[in-house]
Amino acid sequence: MQIAAGALLAWPTLGLHVALDPELFLFLFLPPLLFSDGWRMPKRELWRYRGPILTLAVGLVLFTVVSAGYFIHWLLPDISLPLAFALAAVLSPTDAVAVSAIARDRMPGPLMYMLQGEALMNDASGLVTFKFALAAALTGLFSLADASLTFVLVACGGLAIGVALSWLVGRMRGWMIDRGWDDPAAHVVFMLLLPFAAYVLAERLGASGILSAVAAGMMQSWVDLLPRQTSTRLLNRSVWALLEFAFNGLIFLLLGLQLPDIISAVVHDQPTLWPVLFWRCLEVLAIFLALLALRFVWVQVFWRLRVLIDNRLGRDSATGVLTARACWLLTVGGVRGTVTLAGVLSVPMLMGAGVAFPVRDMMVFIAAGVILLSLISACVASPLLLRGIALAPDQATKQEVQQAWKSTAEAAIRALEADAPAPGDGPVDAAQAAMATEVKARIMSEYRHQLEVFNDTSEAQALAWRMDQLERRLRVSALRAQRLELYALRRQHKIGDDALRQVLSELDLIEARFSAR
């Protein structure tokens, strides 16, 4: 729908055109999206499924670049072999955000973690390979040994720079917090600038800016656990959720704006429009089917080899036995998205002074077509493949959450019991001591209620759940009555806009907390 909206705006009737600088486009869109992917990826699951993830993210990318590159060159001889490799490389990265939205949380956990980890890692491997292939196409020089060594140095340098810069920013934020400079807006600005800084610094030093942005995001997910930063984390998550949603949507809207010009450029030297466009679409379909077949073959071969090796070594396979349905889910789950589009639109328009880049429009047309076909196939196939799958609750995660709540509640109760006036607080009279005892008892009762909620017996859990639901309903009802009264006070001009916003914000946060329980 976003692509269609952009194409409609760019149609000759409305004629909205946006000129894109490829390098600026790459700089504006890729660092924050990759940073967000690294931040969001669960690290424990990434390590647990590191074998299949690395195989999909690195092995499948190289397999796709070589196999699909030769196929594209054979199908379209106008695209030279280095450019075919570059196109295959930029078509390799997948977008797990798209498939998770399509699956609507019905995808089995291990498969979803593999797709997320693959998308995180192959963004970097695919785009770095794309840059090498593009440089070979522009210069005509390529050495496999030099490229391999350079790839390792560039990749390790990018990872090191991203981790170091993110750690330094975290230390600087901690230093600011210790001195009372804890304004959430200022810290969120640091987070917004960090992916761009990591990308630019790495590129300036000759390392991979792409991997630097990913590493900075992964490191920041640990650095973000700074104390006294609750308000900053809440604001940070909201800002990044909005930014990621807007950037993903804007990229597809920009693709739609370019689509009429791309189509006209592809068929501009042809005597007829629709027959040529039809054959071009068939070529895109053939490339997409080739990518799908390569992915299916790779998943099948890797899984069978992995299980065979694990059986020979007498150990349990970390990935389990791959069923036919799971294989197809991993295959159609390789949805192409924003990274592919941002990468292909970063292809320079000129090779030199006044010399147009060859077949750039054709490359963008193929990438746009593959993205559309992968999205459509996932939208159609994933719900069908997921039909009838009843996901069992993640018992391990559920137990970890319960243990965390119980342990933190017990720690809070112990802290309240041990609470005593500070030495400099002066004498404490009987009234103040009684008031402190009453307040502590009130707070401790809430934590004891949490312990009852996570009691192991089913009867205690059922009783606590009923009490919790009743309390939630009464509190939400009271909060909404407060909000209506607040609106009435504003209509009667008894309070101003500043007071309205402040009280309304607090009421919204309290209601959100109880509504999420």
Side-chain angles (χ1 to χ4, degrees), residues 97-288:
V97 176
V99 75
S100 64
I102 294 168
R104 298 181 181 275
D105 297 326
R106 292 179 54 203
M107 183 80 73
L111 296 182
M112 197 66 243
Y113 291 138
M114 291 178 199
L115 289 172
Q116 287 178 333
E118 178 199 6
L120 175 64
M121 303 301 293
N122 69 11
D123 286 350
S125 60
L127 290 177
V128 171
T129 306
F130 165 71
K131 293 182 70 174
F132 275 108
L134 195 61
L138 290 172
T139 61
L141 301 174
F142 181 77
S143 169
L144 182 59
D146 293 342
S148 301
L149 178 60
T150 305
F151 179 85
V152 173
L153 295 176
V154 165
C156 294
L159 291 172
I161 291 170
V163 169
L165 186 61
S166 185
W167 180 81
L168 287 174
V169 170
R171 292 297 299 269
M172 182 178 66
R173 289 178 58 207
W175 179 82
M176 293 172 62
I177 293 168
D178 290 340
R179 282 152 182 78
W181 303 337
D182 55 355
D183 180 22
H187 289 272
V188 171
V189 169
F190 278 118
M191 293 301 97
L192 292 176
L193 295 177
L194 179 57
F196 299 102
Y199 181 87
V200 171
L201 180 61
E203 290 291 327
R204 289 289 184 183
L205 296 177
S208 171
I210 296 164
L211 283 172
S212 180
V214 172
M218 296 182 71
M219 184 66 184
Q220 198 58 41
S221 64
W222 280 298
V223 176
D224 193 46
L225 302 177
L226 289 169
R228 291 179 291 163
Q229 281 291 278
T230 303
S231 56
T232 299
R233 282 193 293 270
L234 290 172
L235 182 58
N236 227 357
R237 291 166 187 164
S238 300
V239 169
W240 274 100
L242 174 62
L243 186 70
E244 187 177 5
F245 179 82
F247 273 32
N248 274 288
L250 187 58
I251 283 181
F252 287 107
L253 187 65
L254 288 172
L255 171 61
L257 288 172
Q258 308 298 311
L259 204 54
D261 291 337
I262 292 170
I263 293 174
S264 63
V266 168
V267 300
H268 74 282
D269 57 347
Q270 304 296 328
T272 56
L273 171 63
W274 294 111
V276 174
L277 187 59
F278 173 75
W279 284 110
R280 293 299 186 210
C281 291
L282 286 181
E283 292 165 351
V284 172
L285 178 61
I287 293 172
F288 169 71

Side-chain angles (χ1 to χ4, degrees), residues 52 56 110-111 114 295-307 317 319-331:
L56 289 170
L111 296 182
M114 291 178 199
R295 185 176 178 86
F296 180 82
V297 169
W298 183 268
V299 169
Q300 281 279 14
V301 171
F302 159 73
W303 221 280
R304 294 182 186 279
L305 286 176
R306 179 67 181 264
V307 172
S317 177
T319 54
V321 179
L322 184 68
T323 63
R325 180 183 294 192
C327 181
W328 279 111
L329 281 170
L330 280 176
T331 301

Side-chain angles (χ1 to χ4, degrees), residues 202-492:
E203 290 291 327
R204 289 289 184 183
L205 296 177
S208 171
I210 296 164
L211 283 172
S212 180
V214 172
M218 296 182 71
M219 184 66 184
Q220 198 58 41
S221 64
W222 280 298
V223 176
D224 193 46
L225 302 177
L226 289 169
R228 291 179 291 163
Q229 281 291 278
T230 303
S231 56
T232 299
R233 282 193 293 270
L234 290 172
L235 182 58
N236 227 357
R237 291 166 187 164
S238 300
V239 169
W240 274 100
L242 174 62
L243 186 70
E244 187 177 5
F245 179 82
F247 273 32
N248 274 288
L250 187 58
I251 283 181
F252 287 107
L253 187 65
L254 288 172
L255 171 61
L257 288 172
Q258 308 298 311
L259 204 54
D261 291 337
I262 292 170
I263 293 174
S264 63
V266 168
V267 300
H268 74 282
D269 57 347
Q270 304 296 328
T272 56
L273 171 63
W274 294 111
V276 174
L277 187 59
F278 173 75
W279 284 110
R280 293 299 186 210
C281 291
L282 286 181
E283 292 165 351
V284 172
L285 178 61
I287 293 172
F288 169 71
L289 292 177
L291 292 171
L292 205 64
L294 291 172
R295 185 176 178 86
F296 180 82
V297 169
W298 183 268
V299 169
Q300 281 279 14
V301 171
F302 159 73
W303 221 280
R304 294 182 186 279
L305 286 176
R306 179 67 181 264
V307 172
L308 181 62
I309 293 173
D310 288 338
N311 291 336
R312 289 288 180 87
L313 296 177
R315 63 188 183 189
D316 294 333
S317 177
T319 54
V321 179
L322 184 68
T323 63
R325 180 183 294 192
C327 181
W328 279 111
L329 281 170
L330 280 176
T331 301
V332 300
V335 178
R336 273 67 179 180
T338 52
V339 174
T340 292
L341 184 56
V344 77
L345 288 177
S346 69
V347 174
M349 296 182 180
L350 299 176
M351 291 191 68
V355 180
F357 193 94
V359 298
R360 180 184 187 274
D361 295 318
M362 189 63 185
M363 293 174 67
V364 177
F365 180 78
I366 292 172
V370 169
I371 290 171
L372 282 172
L373 289 173
S374 68
L375 287 170
I376 293 171
S377 64
C379 285
V380 174
S382 294
L384 295 176
L385 292 169
L386 291 170
R387 183 177 297 172
I389 293 181
L391 291 181
D394 191 346
Q395 295 297 332
T397 301
K398 183 179 179 181
Q399 291 175 1
E400 290 175 0
V401 171
Q402 290 182 353
Q403 183 60 41
W405 277 115
K406 290 172 65 175
S407 299
T408 53
E410 291 169 354
I413 291 173
R414 289 194 299 270
L416 290 169
E417 289 174 343
D419 182 79
D425 290 347
V428 180
D429 56 20
Q432 185 177 356
M435 182 175 61
T437 302
E438 181 182 354
V439 171
K440 285 197 291 185
R442 189 187 310 164
I443 298 173
M444 289 167 66
S445 68
E446 295 182 5
Y447 285 108
R448 290 195 174 98
H449 174 67
Q450 286 187 10
L451 291 175
E452 292 174 358
V453 170
F454 295 104
N455 198 325
D456 293 334
T457 62
S458 58
E459 295 82 2
Q461 285 187 357
L463 178 60
W465 182 82
R466 288 196 297 269
M467 292 177 62
D468 192 63
Q469 292 299 308
L470 178 60
E471 179 189 0
R472 175 178 173 273
R473 182 177 62 82
L474 293 175
R475 283 187 181 271
V476 170
S477 177
L479 287 167
R480 290 174 180 172
Q482 285 182 278
R483 189 181 290 107
L484 292 175
E485 179 64 20
L486 186 66
Y487 295 157
L489 291 173
R490 180 64 188 88
R491 286 194 301 268
Q492 296 166 9

